Amino acid sequence: MNECPISKIAGTGFAVPDKILTNQDLEKIVDTSDEWITSRTGIKTRHIVSDDVENSDLCVEASKKALDEAGVRNEDIDVIIVATVTGDVNFPATACYVQEKLGAVNAAAFDVMAACSGFIYGLNIGNGLFIANNVQNVIVIGSETLTRITNWEDRNTCVLFGDGAGAAVLQPSTGDKGILATYMKSDGRLSYLLMNPGHNPIKEYFDHEGKKMLPVINMQGREVFKYAVRSMEEAMYKVLERGNVSINDVDLLITHQANIRIIDTLAERTGINREKVYINVDRYGNTSAASVPIALDEARKKGLLPEGSLCLMTVFGGGFTWGAVLVRF
Ligand code: COA
């Protein structure tokens, strides 16, 4: 355990597009039903970005709220980290567009690509920056426009995803509040189970049925499900051990919001009281890197993370990547 946490979360915020797509709307697009989606995933609605909004716009909206709460002026931001797989353009980094739109002229800005695990990877990197870079304000954003890389003819995947952004401002920790323990892990051997090959000019990718993958989200759901449970469970135990606390000490568990059955299985396997598990997958679907920071801000604004409370966040995503962070508020 870090005897003295290096950094703390000083402000959070989130943004989702106004447009909502319901399960009933999806029944008109693919051969599915509200009953199937609800019972297999727990998802009821998801927010969909409109054509005139860029990923960086969602980032900016979420960031302004987080910066406001932390009392940080845009020119005092030292580093902007955006976790995303759906950046505005291939390069430069979406974080650079966020920098421009915020007028954060003194910041360094870069993206992190760790799919749905990106926000936790970003928190981990952001936390580390306080050791060697003399920074005071780091903003970590998880933001996605996943519905732009969704295959709307594939009922296996199109019912799952939504758009949104969440942000957290990190500042030097004072006292015992802040990030107590972190864990990150990847397994590139399993990349083919969840990927978007994009428009690759030299190589074609094929799925498990031998079909050429389109430049959209391709996923073998059942396999992903199993690894998601095992990996997040592993990550949870790693940070509990590193933080020298037990699952019973945790006041709120925020897992990646991908599927209610994954969250339920995790709660059952780790024995955490179900009332301590935050859930919003029903309203937003899987927003990838944005999922945990959206849930974190909602939970804080609902008063579920008062001063002194212990929050465990865990994620899993394409790569595969997974991780966890333990934070004392
Ligand atoms: N509506 C109706 N039927 C559907 C459907 C839909 N939207 N999507 C799939 N089905 C069908 C399948 O075609 C299959 O039919 P069959 O038995 O006739 O072949 C049946 O439902 C069962 O499919 P299966 O894939 O086994 O369902 P599942 O219980 O595993 O649920 C997922 C599918 C995708 C919801 C689930 O596997 C999952 O959540 N996986 C993890 C996804 C995830 O978390 N991804 C992101 C990680 S970061």
Side-chain angles (χ1 to χ4, degrees):
M1 168 155 74
N2 299 318
E3 291 305 327
C4 287
I6 304 160
S7 74
K8 65 174 183 189
I9 294 177
T12 54
F14 83 92
V16 287
D18 293 336
K19 187 177 169 198
I20 291 175
L21 191 73
T22 65
N23 291 349
Q24 287 74 19
D25 295 330
L26 281 162
E27 286 174 355
K28 294 175 198 138
I29 301 173
V30 285
D31 180 14
T32 191
S33 64
D34 174 45
E35 196 283 325
W36 192 96
I37 302 170
T38 307
S39 61
R40 299 292 180 113
T41 72
I43 301 166
K44 283 289 194 188
T45 57
R46 66 290 284 146
H47 291 248
I48 308 283
V49 78
S50 56
D51 287 348
D52 57 343
V53 172
E54 291 179 296
N55 183 327
S56 56
D57 295 321
L58 295 174
C59 291
V60 166
E61 202 183 326
S63 298
K64 281 183 176 166
K65 294 173 189 168
L67 292 162
D68 243 23
E69 191 199 344
V72 174
R73 297 179 308 169
N74 294 344
E75 57 269 36
D76 292 331
I77 303 170
D78 297 304
V79 183
I80 300 169
I81 303 173
V82 173
T84 190
V85 294
T86 49
D88 288 11
V89 293
N90 270 351
F91 77 85
T94 297
C96 293
Y97 291 109
V98 176
Q99 172 181 29
E100 183 199 5
K101 288 176 184 178
L102 284 176
V105 289
N106 296 310
F110 62 92
D111 287 0
V112 168
M113 186 188 277
C116 304
S117 306
F119 179 73
I120 290 300
Y121 272 53
L123 273 189
N124 208 331
I125 296 163
N127 187 46
L129 292 174
F130 285 83
I131 300 172
N133 286 273
N134 193 28
V135 295
Q136 294 301 311
N137 297 299
V138 174
I139 184 153
V140 182
I141 308 160
S143 181
E144 302 285 8
T145 49
L146 283 187
T147 62
R148 291 194 175 136
I149 56 162
T150 296
N151 180 354
W152 293 102
E153 292 177 3
D154 176 16
R155 69 175 183 173
N156 292 294
T157 52
C158 76
V159 301
L160 303 174
F161 303 106
D163 301 323
V169 174
L170 295 179
Q171 289 181 338
S173 174
T174 41
D176 60 355
K177 296 187 177 58
I179 295 177
L180 301 180
T182 58
Y183 177 71
M184 296 191 292
K185 189 81 193 295
S186 313
D187 189 345
R189 290 171 299 184
L190 301 167
S191 55
Y192 65 96
L193 292 171
L194 175 54
M195 66 179 289
N196 173 9
H199 296 277
N200 189 322
I202 54 161
K203 188 171 172 186
E204 294 183 335
Y205 289 82
F206 297 90
D207 69 15
H208 61 295
E209 291 170 340
K211 278 193 279 187
K212 188 182 158 192
M213 286 189 197
L214 297 171
V216 290
I217 300 170
N218 295 265
M219 181 175 71
Q220 292 181 43
R222 237 182 261 181
E223 286 300 304
V224 174
F225 191 108
K226 281 187 277 184
Y227 282 104
V229 171
R230 280 186 222 144
S231 308
M232 283 195 277
E233 186 182 10
E234 177 201 307
M236 285 168 68
Y237 282 121
K238 286 281 184 198
V239 291
L240 289 171
E241 190 189 328
R242 289 178 181 180
N244 199 21
V245 293
S246 88
I247 193 78
N248 296 326
D249 297 318
V250 172
D251 295 298
L252 194 70
L253 172 66
I254 300 178
T255 76
H256 176 41
Q257 305 285 314
N259 183 320
I260 191 69
R261 291 190 292 134
I262 294 177
I263 302 172
D264 283 341
T265 311
L266 266 178
E268 201 177 303
R269 283 166 73 133
T270 55
I272 191 167
N273 181 339
R274 190 66 168 61
E275 279 165 24
K276 292 180 173 179
V277 184
Y278 194 79
I279 289 158
N280 65 11
V281 67
D282 52 325
R283 288 175 286 131
Y284 302 116
N286 180 350
T287 57
S288 184
S291 120
V292 162
I294 291 175
L296 174 65
D297 185 52
E298 277 195 347
R300 290 185 68 237
K301 301 290 151 66
K302 284 180 182 170
L304 298 175
L305 287 167
E307 212 173 314
S309 60
L310 191 62
C311 178
L312 172 48
M313 296 179 260
T314 185
V315 285
F316 174 82
F320 287 151
T321 53
W322 62 100
V325 167
L326 188 67
V327 184
R328 174 82 64 198
F329 278 95

